[in-house]
Amino acid sequence: MENVVLVFKKGKKDDSGLYRPVSLPAVAGKIMEKIILEVTEKNLKASADKVFHPADQGKPGDEIFFDLGKAFDTVSPNILLDKMSSTQLDKHIM
């Protein structure tokens, strides 16, 4: 489970619109993310070698593209709402 904290941007501290939620992943989650990233990169490089090596020799090959840009960059809305409800923020924001 991730920790979500509200970070004050600037202006009046009593203006709840000036806070933004920031996710602080748990240590175990960061370790798993690192392991998954390393394994994924290793496998993608191996696959790329199998695709590009024949292509370099003029042979046909297949390609598969993955967009993993946001795979680990999410916060559960339920966790976020739980964290926000435990603060003194105006209830109309949530």
Side-chain angles (χ1 to χ4, degrees):
M1 180 178 282
E2 296 189 18
N3 295 320
V4 178
V5 296
L6 298 173
V7 176
F8 176 70
K9 292 190 272 187
K10 63 180 176 178
K12 291 184 175 183
K13 289 204 176 214
D14 59 344
D15 183 356
S16 57
L18 298 176
Y19 289 82
R20 63 184 171 96
V22 176
S23 171
L24 303 173
V27 174
K30 289 183 100 30
I31 292 170
M32 283 301 296
E33 178 181 345
K34 181 81 170 169
I35 291 169
I36 291 169
L37 178 63
E38 288 175 4
V39 170
T40 303
E41 285 179 343
K42 178 182 172 186
N43 288 329
L44 286 175
K45 287 178 185 176
S47 296
D49 288 342
K50 289 178 184 177
V51 170
F52 294 120
H53 184 67
D56 291 340
Q57 297 173 349
K59 298 177 183 175
D62 297 325
E63 296 181 30
I64 299 173
F65 296 94
F66 297 99
D67 181 5
L68 300 174
K70 296 199 178 227
F72 302 103
D73 196 21
T74 60
V75 174
S76 165
N78 293 334
I79 294 172
L80 180 59
L81 288 173
D82 285 345
K83 293 289 184 176
M84 289 179 71
S85 66
S86 68
T87 65
Q88 299 298 324
L89 289 177
D90 185 340
K91 299 297 181 197
H92 299 318
I93 292 176
M94 298 182 279

